């Protein structure tokens, strides 16, 4: 794309939406109207990257507001298979999302896990209303996927298989969590592993 004098023009926004399937690059939620153009490395700390195409991402206002200029060393999804580097799961009894490095942690991995914990679990022990609504929405989507998985494990059939494959489509939300659910079971991985291609560069 040719260099623009503005990073917020409609053609830039439209291309970012297409490239990222309309999903926030940080939380993986679909965004219809509540979206912003996010600078992976902030304009405050990296003004030289303000118009750099590789630094622009489709993002929701919830994540963008929490990231601000405080998290400039996050893993970039266009350069890292984040789902392979960070294990993602839900701790239902404690109502928390868990993120942990799968190998030796780097500064980028540690900062990314810290940020993901912030947007899913809140910045304090008590979530704000907005943070709780975000968490509840994520839980509802992931729980629905887990329900499909349990149904398939108990009695696999074509309809459930098709529904699971649709949930693994690149346009679906919260693929990182779904990836680790599939990867946790050899039978699931053997059947559905071929549909997990979205996390590869």
């Amino acid at each position: 794309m040719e260099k623009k004098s503005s990073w917020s023009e409609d053609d830039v926004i439209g291309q970012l939406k297409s490239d990222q399937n309309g999903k926030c690059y940080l939380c993986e939620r679909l965004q219809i109207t509540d979206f912003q153009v996010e600078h992976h490395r902030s304009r405050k700390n990296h003004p030289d990257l303000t118009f750099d195409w590789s630094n622009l991402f489709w993002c929701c206002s919830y994540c963008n507001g929490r990231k601000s200029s405080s998290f400039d060393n996050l893993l970039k999804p266009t350069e890292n298979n984040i789902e392979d580097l960070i294990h993602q799961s839900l701790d239902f009894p404690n109502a928390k999302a868990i993120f942990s490095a799968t190998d030796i942690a780097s500064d980028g991995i540690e900062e990314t896990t810290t940020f993901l914990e912030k947007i899913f679990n809140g910045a304090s022990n008590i979530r704000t209303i907005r943070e709780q609504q975000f968490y509840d929405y994520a839980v509802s989507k992931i729980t629905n996927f887990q329900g499909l998985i349990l149904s398939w494990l108990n009695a696999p059939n074509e309809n459930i298989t098709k529904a699971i494959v649709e949930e693994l489509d690149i346009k679906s939300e919260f693929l990182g969590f779904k990836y680790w659910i599939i990867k946790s079971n050899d039978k699931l991985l053997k059947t559905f592993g071929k549909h997990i291609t979205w996390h590869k560069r």
Side-chain angles (χ1 to χ4, degrees), residues 80-136:
N80 300 275
N81 294 332
I82 296 174
E83 293 79 13
D84 286 329
L85 297 172
I86 298 176
H87 184 278
Q88 305 177 35
S89 63
L90 289 177
D91 177 359
F92 289 103
N94 294 304
K96 290 180 62 178
I98 306 297
F99 303 93
S100 58
T102 59
D103 200 350
I104 300 173
S106 66
D107 290 343
I109 291 176
E110 290 178 353
E111 185 167 304
T112 303
T113 56
T114 298
F115 179 74
L116 290 173
E117 287 171 354
K118 179 178 181 179
I119 62 174
F120 278 88
N121 299 327
S124 62
N125 292 328
I126 301 176
R127 292 188 179 97
T128 65
I129 292 176
R130 187 183 298 271
E131 290 166 347
Q132 189 62 52
Q133 286 183 320
F134 171 87
Y135 179 79
D136 290 344

Side-chain angles (χ1 to χ4, degrees), residues 29 47 66 77 82 98 124-125 141 150 155 166-167 196:
R29 287 183 304 160
R66 281 152 181 75
I82 296 174
I98 306 297
S124 62
N125 292 328
K141 292 293 184 178
L150 289 174
E166 289 177 354
E167 285 289 323
I196 303 175

Side-chain angles (χ1 to χ4, degrees), residues 17 28 32 55 60 88 90 141 151 159 177 201:
K17 178 183 179 183
E28 285 198 286
I32 305 302
N55 195 47
C60 69
Q88 305 177 35
L90 289 177
K141 292 293 184 178
S151 295
N159 288 335
F177 288 94
R201 290 194 296 271

Side-chain angles (χ1 to χ4, degrees), residues 9-185:
E9 294 176 358
D10 278 353
D11 58 344
V12 173
I13 293 172
Q15 189 62 53
L16 288 175
K17 178 183 179 183
S18 175
D19 290 349
Q20 296 174 219
N21 298 289
K23 294 193 301 183
C24 173
Y25 87 108
L26 294 168
C27 71
E28 285 198 286
R29 287 183 304 160
L30 286 166
Q31 299 300 316
I32 305 302
T33 57
D34 181 29
F35 62 84
Q36 298 176 357
V37 176
E38 208 279 313
H39 290 78
H40 183 260
R41 294 191 183 276
S42 64
R43 287 179 289 158
K44 177 181 178 180
N45 297 328
H46 300 272
D48 56 310
L49 298 178
T50 297
F51 304 106
D52 188 321
W53 178 252
S54 66
N55 195 47
L56 303 179
F57 287 86
W58 181 270
C59 187
C60 69
S61 62
Y62 175 83
C63 288
N64 201 10
R66 281 152 181 75
K67 179 179 176 293
S68 63
S69 59
S70 302
F71 293 89
D72 272 356
N73 196 37
L74 296 177
L75 294 174
K76 186 180 283 190
T78 53
E79 297 176 0
N80 300 275
N81 294 332
I82 296 174
E83 293 79 13
D84 286 329
L85 297 172
I86 298 176
H87 184 278
Q88 305 177 35
S89 63
L90 289 177
D91 177 359
F92 289 103
N94 294 304
K96 290 180 62 178
I98 306 297
F99 303 93
S100 58
T102 59
D103 200 350
I104 300 173
S106 66
D107 290 343
I109 291 176
E110 290 178 353
E111 185 167 304
T112 303
T113 56
T114 298
F115 179 74
L116 290 173
E117 287 171 354
K118 179 178 181 179
I119 62 174
F120 278 88
N121 299 327
S124 62
N125 292 328
I126 301 176
R127 292 188 179 97
T128 65
I129 292 176
R130 187 183 298 271
E131 290 166 347
Q132 189 62 52
Q133 286 183 320
F134 171 87
Y135 179 79
D136 290 344
Y137 178 77
V139 168
S140 70
K141 292 293 184 178
I142 298 164
T143 300
N144 178 67
F145 181 71
Q146 288 181 317
L148 289 172
I149 291 296
L150 289 174
S151 295
W152 186 87
L153 288 171
N154 289 329
N157 64 61
E158 185 177 343
N159 288 335
I160 299 176
T161 299
K162 182 179 178 181
I164 292 173
V165 170
E166 289 177 354
E167 285 289 323
L168 294 174
D169 184 82
I170 194 170
K171 295 180 181 179
S172 185
E173 297 177 304
F174 304 114
L175 290 174
F177 288 94
K178 295 173 183 177
Y179 170 58
W180 282 100
I181 291 171
I182 295 297
K183 194 173 180 180
S184 68
N185 181 289

